[in-house]
Amino acid sequence: MRTVAVLPVKRFGAAKQRLNDDLSDGTRRALAEAMVTDVLIALRRTRGVDEVLVVSGEHAAVALAAGYDAAAVIDDPTDAGHSAAALRGIEAALERGATRVVLVPGDCPALDPVELDALLARAGTGPGVLVVPDRHGDGTNALVLTPPDVMAPAFGPGSRARHEELAREAGAECEAVEVRTLGLDVDTLDDLEALREALDRLRGGASHTRGLLARVSRR
Ligand SMILES: Nc1nc2c(ncn2[C@@H]2O[C@H](COP(=O)(O)OP(=O)(O)OP(=O)(O)O)[C@@H](O)[C@H]2O)c(=O)[nH]1
Ligand SMILES: C=C(OP(=O)(O)O)C(=O)O
């Protein structure tokens, strides 16, 4: 089994728009970059991930990818959308011999490599889909697709149920798996505070995001 992690990254200046009213542009950009950095570090430490593909038009993300052993960067010059970017990564992963992909967002900095390895260990030889819900239970924070093109990702509001239905339509086995550190994505200020509280309890990891949060006052 050859597992490739696909990490779509929106250009940092356009990222995290739902935090527009809560953080300055500079802090929002720095947060996006810090979170992507921590996700890249966690992916590098995940034994079950053979290669990392970053899909982005963000020059700083390209530099980060090079610095953290990401195998390649697939360009996304126009921020084509989360699902479109993920699809580009899946196509590139297939060209590189992937038999499984894990789609990971760049806004889950608490990602624990041990938990990700445990998730990958649950994926069979396929056809199968593992859906990792967000902390609200109705979004999707990660997908494990075996084979990579078993179904097309369809991120956005209500995506958990949509992904489960798409898996059924594809005749694939489907399981929703809660992964504590993958459930902590950051879209809103509430998410940021939930992440901060979780990091207060967690040992290690997310060093760049921890550093940034230390400079952002608690609500
Ligand atoms: N390459 C690429 N990645 C994207 C795009 N849109 C979202 N992503 C990535 O997909 C993951 C989850 O996306 P969102 O939670 O919607 O992040 P976001 O678009 O910055 O958040 P909002 O601006 O608040 O919608 C993050 O890693 C994003 O960087 C896109 O158009 N292109
Ligand atoms: C976060 C999700 O979608 P998007 O990243 O596109 O907002 C989701 O599908 O739960």
Side-chain angles (χ1 to χ4, degrees), residues 18 82-83 107 134 138-141 154-160 162-163 185 187:
R18 284 167 273 187
H82 185 180
S83 299
D107 57 1
D134 65 5
D138 57 8
T140 303
N141 276 2
F155 292 104
S159 67
R160 174 194 174 156
R162 189 162 53 251
H163 285 140
D185 66 313
D187 288 321

Side-chain angles (χ1 to χ4, degrees), residues 1-6 42-52 99-104 111-126 128-132 142-146 175 177-179 182:
M1 192 60 72
R2 177 169 173 71
T3 301
V4 172
V6 174
L43 290 175
R44 185 179 61 178
R45 292 175 178 165
T46 304
R47 298 169 59 87
V49 169
D50 297 303
E51 199 172 32
V52 178
T99 52
R100 174 184 295 148
V101 294
V102 54
L103 305 183
V104 179
L111 175 58
D112 178 343
V114 172
E115 289 189 358
L116 182 52
D117 269 323
L119 176 71
L120 294 175
R122 292 178 76 132
T125 53
V129 175
L130 298 181
V131 182
V132 178
L143 283 175
V144 180
L145 305 177
T146 313
E175 182 183 4
V177 184
E178 292 196 5
V179 180
L182 256 178

Side-chain angles (χ1 to χ4, degrees), residues 9-13 29 33 36 40 54-67 73-79:
V9 177
K10 186 192 270 189
R11 283 174 295 178
F12 293 146
R29 182 189 177 91
E33 185 163 359
V36 166
L40 278 167
V54 172
V55 184
S56 185
E58 170 60 54
H59 296 303
V62 175
L64 284 171
V73 177
I74 316 302
D75 196 12
D76 176 19
T78 62
D79 280 345

